[in-house]
Amino acid sequence: DTGVSQNPRHKITKRGQNVTFRCDPISEHNRLYWYRQTLGQGPEFLTYFQNEAQLEKSRLLSDRFSAERPKGSFSTLEIQRTEQGDSAMYLCASGKSSGTDTQYFGPGTRLTVL
Amino acid sequence: AQSVTQLGSHVSVSEGALVLLRCNYSSSVPPYLFWYVQYPNQGLQLLLKYTSAATLVKGINGFEAEFKKSETSFHLTKPSAHMSDAAEYFCAVSGTGANSKLTFGKGITLSVRP
């Protein structure tokens, strides 16, 4: 068990550029979640997958955001035409659909949009 | 709909003193409840969870929490604070099954004075 990993850890981009983040979950976990955390706030749910199916998306997830989990393993979160308001920590978590639904978090990707 | 209220944004205690961090929740279904800790520039680490078994839950690093349905509370306590406990603490609620997304409170920063 190597834990949840996220890449890159930090990303600085200019407004209007596209960015993509990657999350690798714990290997036996079939659920994968994305959250966004801004300074001084708790994480907010964005979306989650069970295997390769995207089961829920938050209304926070505008059409500039898209997430995929093509083979039910790693996931990518893409933000198109970034805005300064997208600056945040993007957290990934994984868990199992059986049992007590505990989610284990990765270290996050900190996005800064200039 | 589910929500979490963490009153106050900052708690300061002396080393060796009791730690009490408050959490109240709202949920239309029997909830799962969690406390996570976040150290600077890191992801979230699970401290403990309530999943409808014992109402007094013991977690890592000497923390525990008690689920009180009548008060809709899940307060976190530790008998004796250590300097290493200084961090941000988040209470979260989720449903079960497909409704597994976490809804977080705003978090409480714990400072420990020598």
Side-chain angles (χ1 to χ4, degrees):
Chain A
D1 177 358
T2 57
V4 179
S5 62
Q6 293 186 245
N7 288 288
R9 294 292 307 277
H10 303 275
K11 178 71 177 179
I12 300 173
T13 191
K14 293 182 179 179
R15 189 174 51 188
Q17 298 295 305
N18 299 342
V19 294
T20 300
F21 310 140
R22 175 174 170 134
C23 172
D24 287 87
I26 294 171
S27 58
E28 65 266 29
H29 288 179
N30 63 339
R31 284 187 173 171
L32 187 149
Y33 304 79
W34 286 100
Y35 294 84
R36 179 172 66 187
Q37 184 179 22
T38 53
L39 199 62
Q41 300 295 318
E44 294 175 299
F45 170 78
L46 293 178
T47 188
Y48 93 94
F49 295 83
Q50 182 163 309
N51 301 312
E52 64 274 12
Q54 190 172 18
L55 295 190
E56 188 173 352
K57 291 171 58 174
S58 166
R59 285 172 289 179
L60 292 175
L61 210 64
S62 79
D63 57 6
R64 296 186 297 106
F65 288 68
S66 62
E68 295 183 342
R69 194 183 184 199
K71 296 183 179 179
S73 57
F74 73 91
S75 175
T76 58
L77 177 68
E78 181 182 16
I79 309 174
Q80 296 182 327
R81 306 181 303 280
T82 53
E83 302 172 355
Q84 287 186 325
D86 297 331
S87 295
M89 176 78 88
Y90 290 83
L91 295 166
C92 176
S94 71
K96 297 181 181 179
S97 56
S98 60
T100 55
D101 297 310
T102 300
Q103 296 179 29
Y104 297 90
F105 283 80
T109 295
R110 182 168 296 284
L111 172 65
T112 302
V113 182
L114 302 176
Chain B
Q2 297 170 316
S3 66
V4 169
T5 301
Q6 293 184 254
L7 290 178
S9 60
H10 186 236
V11 170
S12 181
V13 300
S14 298
E15 193 173 19
L18 171 72
V19 175
L20 170 61
L21 303 181
R22 299 179 185 275
C23 172
N24 289 88
Y25 72 91
S26 172
S27 177
S28 56
V29 297
Y32 286 174
L33 292 158
F34 305 82
W35 276 99
Y36 284 87
V37 60
Q38 187 175 36
Y39 298 99
N41 298 313
Q42 294 187 25
L44 282 76
Q45 180 183 3
L46 180 69
L47 278 176
L48 49 79
K49 61 185 179 185
Y50 166 77
T51 55
S52 73
T55 56
L56 182 62
V57 181
K58 295 186 183 299
I60 62 171
N61 301 338
F63 285 94
E64 63 181 38
E66 186 173 9
F67 172 70
K68 291 187 177 180
K69 185 177 179 180
S70 61
E71 299 177 7
T72 60
S73 70
F74 191 58
H75 302 328
L76 182 71
T77 60
K78 182 174 180 178
S80 176
H82 294 169
M83 297 297 292
S84 60
D85 294 327
E88 192 156 19
Y89 291 80
F90 294 95
C91 181
V93 63
S94 78
T96 60
N99 186 24
S100 61
K101 67 183 180 189
L102 290 167
T103 300
F104 287 87
K106 291 187 175 182
I108 298 174
T109 300
L110 175 66
S111 299
V112 182
R113 302 185 302 272

